[in-house]
């Protein structure tokens, strides 16, 4: 859908966004056939405290997009510094991303073990814009782990400032 607004150049936009430091999370859900699915996201943010809710933007070509847009419960796993390998798996297009991971069902939500924080979300709202779908989840459970966050900045995961250990 065109908004009538002139778009910035794609390269300027991606350069600008590369300067935004963000955490990363694995969003997971159960597909209609009962299998777990999930993807790595950096678009996650806190949406509101009343009710506690989060927002994530999912590309329409993600294999998890339809499940989330259709209102599945979902899990959000905030990744820690020790989770870079997990991040790579969930950023990929492997057939079974959960095969090598430690995980279990939390009701209808596939829960990965040992991440920085885990939020279980009931479906709140979903709407499409452009090539992404915005999904809002109401947080019904929140468990905290101990690791420092894995940070995505300037196209790198786990970046460090010069001189930082
Ligand atoms: C650092 C990083 C952040 C990402 N953030 C998002 C995001 O916010 N939304 C999204 O749809 N894809 C995001 N992706 C891409 C998906 O993780 C990737 O396309 C994945 O293969 C989708 O898997 P699926 O098709 O199994 O759902 C990101 C990838 C990386 C490396």
């Amino acid at each position: 859908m065109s908004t009538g607004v002139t778009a910035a150049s794609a390269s300027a936009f991606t350069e600008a966004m590369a300067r935004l430091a963000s955490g990363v999370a694995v969003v997971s859900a159960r597909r209609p056939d009962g299998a777990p699915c999930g993807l790595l996201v950096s678009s996650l943010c806190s949406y509101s405290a009343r009710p506690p809710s989060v927002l994530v933007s999912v590309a329409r070509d993600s294999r998890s997009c339809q499940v989330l847009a259709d209102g599945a419960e979902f899990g959000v796993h905030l990744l820690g510094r020790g989770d870079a390998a997990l991040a790579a798996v969930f950023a990929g297009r492997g057939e079974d991303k959960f095969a090598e991971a430690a995980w279990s069902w939390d009701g209808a939500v596939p829960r990965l073990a040992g991440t920085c924080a885990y939020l279980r979300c009931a479906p709140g709202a979903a709407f499409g814009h452009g090539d992404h779908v915005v999904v809002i989840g109401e947080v019904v459970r929140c468990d905290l782990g101990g690791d420092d966050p894995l940070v995505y900045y300037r196209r790198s995961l786990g970046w460090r400032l010069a001189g930082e250990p």
Side-chain angles (χ1 to χ4, degrees), residues 17-78:
M17 289 298 98
R19 286 157 171 73
L20 175 67
S22 61
V24 288
V26 171
V27 172
S28 65
R30 183 167 67 187
R31 296 193 318 222
D33 67 2
C37 62
L39 77 161
L40 184 75
V41 301
S42 59
S43 59
L44 180 84
C45 66
S46 169
Y47 178 74
S48 70
R50 288 189 303 275
S53 48
V54 293
L55 179 155
V56 62
S57 169
V58 183
R60 290 187 195 274
D61 64 6
S62 157
R63 294 168 299 174
S64 302
C65 185
Q66 199 59 53
V67 178
L68 296 166
D70 286 347
E73 274 190 90
F74 62 95
V76 172
H77 306 80
L78 305 187

Side-chain angles (χ1 to χ4, degrees), residues 16-24 42 44 150-156 159:
M17 289 298 98
R19 286 157 171 73
L20 175 67
S22 61
V24 288
S42 59
L44 180 84
L150 185 61
V151 174
Y152 185 58
Y153 177 62
R154 293 208 171 203
R155 303 185 177 87
S156 292
W159 64 285

Side-chain angles (χ1 to χ4, degrees), residues 24-26 40 77-81 83 86-87 115-117 148-150:
V24 288
V26 171
L40 184 75
H77 306 80
L78 305 187
L79 299 189
R81 287 195 178 198
D83 294 325
L86 198 61
T115 57
C116 211
D148 289 333
L150 185 61

